Amino acid sequence: MSAVSLWVNRPAGTRAAGWLRTVDHKEIGVLYIGMGIAFFALGGIEALLLRAQLATPQEHLLDPETYDQIFTVHGVTMILLAVVPLIVGFANYLVPLMIGAADVAYPRLNALSFWLSLLGGIVLYFSFVAGGAPDAGWFSYTPLAERPFAPGAGVDYYILGLAVNGAGTIIGAINLTVTILLMRAPGLAISRLPLSPSCSTKSRPFTRRNCIAIQKRLSIYGNVASAILSSLRNSASAMLPVAICAVI
Ligand code: HEM
């Protein structure tokens, strides 16, 4: 019976590429946390710009349009690109350890979730160099977000960025839900799930026997999950071209 290791050890020289193609839940968790910290820093720079503009009356550091763009992107960044990835990162790292699972249910999908989340953020920030960021508030409030009040492509980038980022988040949420429902170590009833990571891996180590039991359960319920995922994929593939056309 061997306990779960807390880290993936890679041979030296393969580490950078390893981060890019990793499907390990702990490494993906760290990637999410890194993404959250990076966007938190960007959101912090935007907050500084906003506060600098507001520091004195009649300040001209930012013109009104840029101010609106900065506070909109600041709000989206802080909530969706910093706080959410930080929470998801800790969940990715800790949940499988807490329930005695070797990894999440769908490790490759987990990597896809992360890269979609990051890509969504990049699309949003790309709007700054593509003619103007969204400026209708982080909720994209109507009627500010409607064409007469937002003639540029900023709101389109907002829609596209959040669609891609949201697809990543939804897939990640399904992955974690399936993991928690189906991959708990035998004997770990859902009512006995640990609320904190402290009581996890030592008391419920991941063993080969547990692994076989989990695989059996996954093969039964996996069809349900893949049906949900394929309907998601279909709706995403229907939505993305519309969003891309809107931007073009
Ligand atoms: C020291 C740190 C921060 C400063 C100085 C700051 C400053 C600001 C300022 C000046 C605004 C715009 C106000 C306006 O003119 O309407 C704003 C909006 C906002 N901030 Fe921050 N902020 C900080 C941290 C955060 C954090 C940590 C979060 C979220 C986790 C956050 C979320 C938001 C949201 C959601 C809005 C509303 C954006 C909108 O109306 O579209 N901020 N912040």
Side-chain angles (χ1 to χ4, degrees):
M1 207 185 262
S2 63
V4 187
S5 77
L6 284 173
W7 194 244
V8 179
N9 291 316
R10 294 185 191 289
T14 63
R15 285 187 189 138
W19 283 106
L20 294 180
R21 59 179 190 215
T22 184
V23 294
D24 176 81
H25 73 95
K26 293 176 220 125
E27 290 191 321
I28 291 174
V30 173
L31 285 173
Y32 267 116
I33 292 169
M35 170 183 165
I37 291 171
F39 277 108
F40 194 76
L42 280 175
I45 293 169
E46 288 149 8
L48 286 175
L49 287 171
L50 294 171
R51 278 290 154 200
Q53 167 64 31
L54 298 173
T56 56
Q58 310 299 328
E59 178 60 64
H60 289 100
L61 178 70
L62 305 172
D63 60 61
E65 288 76 27
T66 313
Y67 184 90
D68 290 355
Q69 292 176 6
I70 299 279
F71 85 66
T72 300
V73 175
H74 163 80
V76 178
T77 301
M78 286 301 197
I79 304 289
L80 298 177
L81 304 175
V83 172
V84 170
L86 283 171
I87 296 171
V88 174
F90 280 108
N92 250 288
Y93 196 107
L94 295 173
V95 165
L97 301 180
M98 290 167 70
I99 64 171
D103 204 317
V104 292
Y106 308 104
R108 286 189 173 82
L109 264 188
N110 201 22
L112 178 70
S113 301
F114 167 74
W115 292 109
L116 283 178
S117 298
L118 181 62
L119 182 66
I122 292 171
V123 168
L124 179 75
Y125 272 78
F126 181 71
S127 63
F128 277 111
V129 291
D135 57 358
W138 82 283
F139 246 76
S140 209
Y141 307 94
T142 50
L144 294 179
E146 288 171 4
R147 195 50 88 193
F149 302 99
V155 173
D156 300 319
Y157 280 105
Y158 174 96
I159 295 169
L160 184 58
L162 262 60
V164 176
N165 176 276
T169 315
I170 292 168
I171 295 171
I174 291 173
N175 209 342
L176 275 177
T177 307
V178 175
T179 307
I180 293 168
L181 290 179
L182 304 180
M183 293 182 68
R184 298 188 310 278
L188 177 54
I190 202 138
S191 56
R192 299 179 67 197
L193 279 177
L195 284 181
S196 82
S198 56
C199 56
S200 57
T201 51
K202 273 191 191 146
S203 52
R204 299 181 196 86
F206 182 77
T207 62
R208 187 174 151 69
R209 212 187 75 218
N210 294 352
C211 177
I212 292 166
I214 286 162
Q215 277 171 353
K216 275 189 190 150
R217 271 189 287 170
L218 265 182
S219 64
I220 297 167
Y221 296 109
N223 292 340
V224 179
S226 55
I228 296 170
L229 287 171
S230 66
S231 67
L232 248 180
R233 191 197 55 204
N234 292 343
S235 54
S237 59
M239 201 167 59
L240 275 181
V242 176
I244 290 167
C245 291
V247 170
I248 293 169

mmCIF file of all heavy atoms in Angstrom, residues 56-77:
data_model
loop_
_atom_site.group_PDB
_atom_site.id
_atom_site.type_symbol
_atom_site.label_atom_id
_atom_site.label_comp_id
_atom_site.label_asym_id
_atom_site.label_seq_id
_atom_site.Cartn_x
_atom_site.Cartn_y
_atom_site.Cartn_z
ATOM 1 N N THR A 56 -6.663 62.905 -8.036
ATOM 2 C CA THR A 56 -6.829 64.364 -7.975
ATOM 3 C C THR A 56 -7.966 64.791 -8.907
ATOM 4 O O THR A 56 -8.211 64.119 -9.919
ATOM 5 C CB THR A 56 -5.539 65.088 -8.424
ATOM 6 O OG1 THR A 56 -5.205 64.633 -9.739
ATOM 7 C CG2 THR A 56 -4.384 64.840 -7.480
ATOM 8 N N PRO A 57 -8.634 65.906 -8.604
ATOM 9 C CA PRO A 57 -9.699 66.380 -9.501
ATOM 10 C C PRO A 57 -9.120 66.793 -10.850
ATOM 11 O O PRO A 57 -7.956 67.201 -10.929
ATOM 12 C CB PRO A 57 -10.290 67.595 -8.769
ATOM 13 C CG PRO A 57 -9.672 67.609 -7.418
ATOM 14 C CD PRO A 57 -8.461 66.768 -7.440
ATOM 15 N N GLN A 58 -9.880 66.667 -11.895
ATOM 16 C CA GLN A 58 -9.478 67.081 -13.259
ATOM 17 C C GLN A 58 -8.191 66.381 -13.724
ATOM 18 O O GLN A 58 -7.411 66.948 -14.474
ATOM 19 C CB GLN A 58 -9.286 68.611 -13.353
ATOM 20 C CG GLN A 58 -10.423 69.437 -12.817
ATOM 21 C CD GLN A 58 -11.732 69.182 -13.553
ATOM 22 O OE1 GLN A 58 -11.737 68.884 -14.736
ATOM 23 N NE2 GLN A 58 -12.832 69.266 -12.831
ATOM 24 N N GLU A 59 -7.962 65.187 -13.238
ATOM 25 C CA GLU A 59 -6.761 64.431 -13.640
ATOM 26 C C GLU A 59 -6.941 63.965 -15.092
ATOM 27 O O GLU A 59 -8.042 63.591 -15.487
ATOM 28 C CB GLU A 59 -6.612 63.225 -12.697
ATOM 29 C CG GLU A 59 -5.465 62.319 -12.977
ATOM 30 C CD GLU A 59 -4.121 62.992 -12.896
ATOM 31 O OE1 GLU A 59 -3.742 63.443 -11.812
ATOM 32 O OE2 GLU A 59 -3.454 63.070 -13.947
ATOM 33 N N HIS A 60 -5.861 63.994 -15.870
ATOM 34 C CA HIS A 60 -5.978 63.596 -17.274
ATOM 35 C C HIS A 60 -5.108 62.394 -17.619
ATOM 36 O O HIS A 60 -4.686 62.236 -18.758
ATOM 37 C CB HIS A 60 -5.612 64.771 -18.193
ATOM 38 C CG HIS A 60 -6.665 65.832 -18.173
ATOM 39 N ND1 HIS A 60 -6.545 66.992 -17.428
ATOM 40 C CD2 HIS A 60 -7.881 65.886 -18.754
ATOM 41 C CE1 HIS A 60 -7.643 67.724 -17.577
ATOM 42 N NE2 HIS A 60 -8.472 67.073 -18.380
ATOM 43 N N LEU A 61 -4.840 61.569 -16.629
ATOM 44 C CA LEU A 61 -4.012 60.382 -16.907
ATOM 45 C C LEU A 61 -4.697 59.457 -17.916
ATOM 46 O O LEU A 61 -4.076 58.982 -18.867
ATOM 47 C CB LEU A 61 -3.755 59.629 -15.592
ATOM 48 C CG LEU A 61 -2.946 58.353 -15.703
ATOM 49 C CD1 LEU A 61 -1.498 58.678 -16.046
ATOM 50 C CD2 LEU A 61 -3.004 57.543 -14.414
ATOM 51 N N LEU A 62 -5.982 59.199 -17.717
ATOM 52 C CA LEU A 62 -6.748 58.346 -18.646
ATOM 53 C C LEU A 62 -7.886 59.164 -19.231
ATOM 54 O O LEU A 62 -8.557 59.906 -18.500
ATOM 55 C CB LEU A 62 -7.352 57.147 -17.894
ATOM 56 C CG LEU A 62 -6.416 56.250 -17.083
ATOM 57 C CD1 LEU A 62 -7.227 55.256 -16.262
ATOM 58 C CD2 LEU A 62 -5.465 55.514 -18.004
ATOM 59 N N ASP A 63 -8.123 59.005 -20.546
ATOM 60 C CA ASP A 63 -9.305 59.670 -21.092
ATOM 61 C C ASP A 63 -10.545 58.844 -20.700
ATOM 62 O O ASP A 63 -10.415 57.690 -20.270
ATOM 63 C CB ASP A 63 -9.180 59.854 -22.615
ATOM 64 C CG ASP A 63 -9.030 58.539 -23.335
ATOM 65 O OD1 ASP A 63 -9.957 57.710 -23.241
ATOM 66 O OD2 ASP A 63 -7.977 58.297 -23.965
ATOM 67 N N PRO A 64 -11.750 59.402 -20.823
ATOM 68 C CA PRO A 64 -12.952 58.702 -20.322
ATOM 69 C C PRO A 64 -13.130 57.309 -20.921
ATOM 70 O O PRO A 64 -13.481 56.364 -20.204
ATOM 71 C CB PRO A 64 -14.094 59.634 -20.745
ATOM 72 C CG PRO A 64 -13.461 60.986 -20.839
ATOM 73 C CD PRO A 64 -12.050 60.771 -21.286
ATOM 74 N N GLU A 65 -12.875 57.149 -22.229
ATOM 75 C CA GLU A 65 -13.075 55.827 -22.858
ATOM 76 C C GLU A 65 -12.105 54.809 -22.253
ATOM 77 O O GLU A 65 -12.484 53.688 -21.922
ATOM 78 C CB GLU A 65 -12.849 55.886 -24.377
ATOM 79 C CG GLU A 65 -13.926 56.608 -25.167
ATOM 80 C CD GLU A 65 -13.823 58.128 -25.042
ATOM 81 O OE1 GLU A 65 -12.694 58.621 -24.801
ATOM 82 O OE2 GLU A 65 -14.855 58.809 -25.150
ATOM 83 N N THR A 66 -10.843 55.243 -22.117
ATOM 84 C CA THR A 66 -9.846 54.315 -21.571
ATOM 85 C C THR A 66 -10.185 53.967 -20.122
ATOM 86 O O THR A 66 -10.044 52.825 -19.692
ATOM 87 C CB THR A 66 -8.430 54.926 -21.650
ATOM 88 O OG1 THR A 66 -8.260 55.469 -22.946
ATOM 89 C CG2 THR A 66 -7.355 53.895 -21.390
ATOM 90 N N TYR A 67 -10.656 54.934 -19.351
ATOM 91 C CA TYR A 67 -11.030 54.668 -17.959
ATOM 92 C C TYR A 67 -12.105 53.570 -17.915
ATOM 93 O O TYR A 67 -11.987 52.608 -17.148
ATOM 94 C CB TYR A 67 -11.544 55.946 -17.274
ATOM 95 C CG TYR A 67 -11.835 55.721 -15.817
ATOM 96 C CD1 TYR A 67 -10.848 55.921 -14.851
ATOM 97 C CD2 TYR A 67 -13.082 55.255 -15.393
ATOM 98 C CE1 TYR A 67 -11.104 55.676 -13.514
ATOM 99 C CE2 TYR A 67 -13.344 55.003 -14.072
ATOM 100 C CZ TYR A 67 -12.355 55.227 -13.129
ATOM 101 O OH TYR A 67 -12.603 54.964 -11.796
ATOM 102 N N ASP A 68 -13.128 53.719 -18.792
ATOM 103 C CA ASP A 68 -14.200 52.721 -18.814
ATOM 104 C C ASP A 68 -13.658 51.337 -19.192
ATOM 105 O O ASP A 68 -14.078 50.317 -18.643
ATOM 106 C CB ASP A 68 -15.290 53.137 -19.822
ATOM 107 C CG ASP A 68 -16.070 54.356 -19.329
ATOM 108 O OD1 ASP A 68 -15.824 54.787 -18.185
ATOM 109 O OD2 ASP A 68 -16.902 54.877 -20.093
ATOM 110 N N GLN A 69 -12.736 51.323 -20.158
ATOM 111 C CA GLN A 69 -12.160 50.035 -20.573
ATOM 112 C C GLN A 69 -11.364 49.412 -19.422
ATOM 113 O O GLN A 69 -11.483 48.212 -19.152
ATOM 114 C CB GLN A 69 -11.231 50.243 -21.776
ATOM 115 C CG GLN A 69 -11.973 50.651 -23.040
ATOM 116 C CD GLN A 69 -11.033 50.946 -24.194
ATOM 117 O OE1 GLN A 69 -9.828 50.743 -24.099
ATOM 118 N NE2 GLN A 69 -11.584 51.429 -25.295
ATOM 119 N N ILE A 70 -10.577 50.265 -18.737
ATOM 120 C CA ILE A 70 -9.715 49.721 -17.683
ATOM 121 C C ILE A 70 -10.559 49.184 -16.522
ATOM 122 O O ILE A 70 -10.287 48.103 -16.002
ATOM 123 C CB ILE A 70 -8.722 50.804 -17.175
ATOM 124 C CG1 ILE A 70 -7.814 51.273 -18.315
ATOM 125 C CG2 ILE A 70 -7.908 50.288 -16.004
ATOM 126 C CD1 ILE A 70 -6.650 50.389 -18.621
ATOM 127 N N PHE A 71 -11.618 49.901 -16.111
ATOM 128 C CA PHE A 71 -12.356 49.367 -14.955
ATOM 129 C C PHE A 71 -13.177 48.138 -15.343
ATOM 130 O O PHE A 71 -13.387 47.238 -14.535
ATOM 131 C CB PHE A 71 -13.156 50.443 -14.210
ATOM 132 C CG PHE A 71 -14.540 50.771 -14.723
ATOM 133 C CD1 PHE A 71 -15.576 49.849 -14.672
ATOM 134 C CD2 PHE A 71 -14.814 52.040 -15.214
ATOM 135 C CE1 PHE A 71 -16.850 50.174 -15.119
ATOM 136 C CE2 PHE A 71 -16.086 52.368 -15.655
ATOM 137 C CZ PHE A 71 -17.106 51.426 -15.615
ATOM 138 N N THR A 72 -13.589 48.071 -16.627
ATOM 139 C CA THR A 72 -14.298 46.865 -17.072
ATOM 140 C C THR A 72 -13.365 45.655 -17.055
ATOM 141 O O THR A 72 -13.679 44.605 -16.476
ATOM 142 C CB THR A 72 -14.834 47.079 -18.503
ATOM 143 O OG1 THR A 72 -15.736 48.180 -18.502
ATOM 144 C CG2 THR A 72 -15.549 45.846 -19.019
ATOM 145 N N VAL A 73 -12.194 45.829 -17.679
ATOM 146 C CA VAL A 73 -11.259 44.694 -17.746
ATOM 147 C C VAL A 73 -10.720 44.359 -16.352
ATOM 148 O O VAL A 73 -10.504 43.195 -16.015
ATOM 149 C CB VAL A 73 -10.113 45.002 -18.754
ATOM 150 C CG1 VAL A 73 -9.077 43.894 -18.755
ATOM 151 C CG2 VAL A 73 -10.687 45.178 -20.147
ATOM 152 N N HIS A 74 -10.549 45.399 -15.511
ATOM 153 C CA HIS A 74 -10.118 45.150 -14.124
ATOM 154 C C HIS A 74 -11.131 44.239 -13.409
ATOM 155 O O HIS A 74 -10.750 43.262 -12.760
ATOM 156 C CB HIS A 74 -9.973 46.488 -13.394
ATOM 157 C CG HIS A 74 -9.942 46.389 -11.900
ATOM 158 N ND1 HIS A 74 -8.800 46.025 -11.205
ATOM 159 C CD2 HIS A 74 -10.912 46.587 -10.951
ATOM 160 C CE1 HIS A 74 -9.075 46.024 -9.901
ATOM 161 N NE2 HIS A 74 -10.346 46.361 -9.733
ATOM 162 N N GLY A 75 -12.424 44.551 -13.541
ATOM 163 C CA GLY A 75 -13.451 43.741 -12.882
ATOM 164 C C GLY A 75 -13.458 42.311 -13.381
ATOM 165 O O GLY A 75 -13.431 41.359 -12.605
ATOM 166 N N VAL A 76 -13.429 42.147 -14.730
ATOM 167 C CA VAL A 76 -13.434 40.791 -15.315
ATOM 168 C C VAL A 76 -12.183 40.032 -14.867
ATOM 169 O O VAL A 76 -12.241 38.859 -14.490
ATOM 170 C CB VAL A 76 -13.472 40.868 -16.862
ATOM 171 C CG1 VAL A 76 -13.416 39.472 -17.466
ATOM 172 C CG2 VAL A 76 -14.710 41.591 -17.342
ATOM 173 N N THR A 77 -11.060 40.736 -14.898
ATOM 174 C CA THR A 77 -9.794 40.091 -14.548
ATOM 175 C C THR A 77 -9.818 39.602 -13.109
ATOM 176 O O THR A 77 -9.498 38.436 -12.827
ATOM 177 C CB THR A 77 -8.632 41.090 -14.732
ATOM 178 O OG1 THR A 77 -8.617 41.517 -16.084
ATOM 179 C CG2 THR A 77 -7.301 40.453 -14.378
#
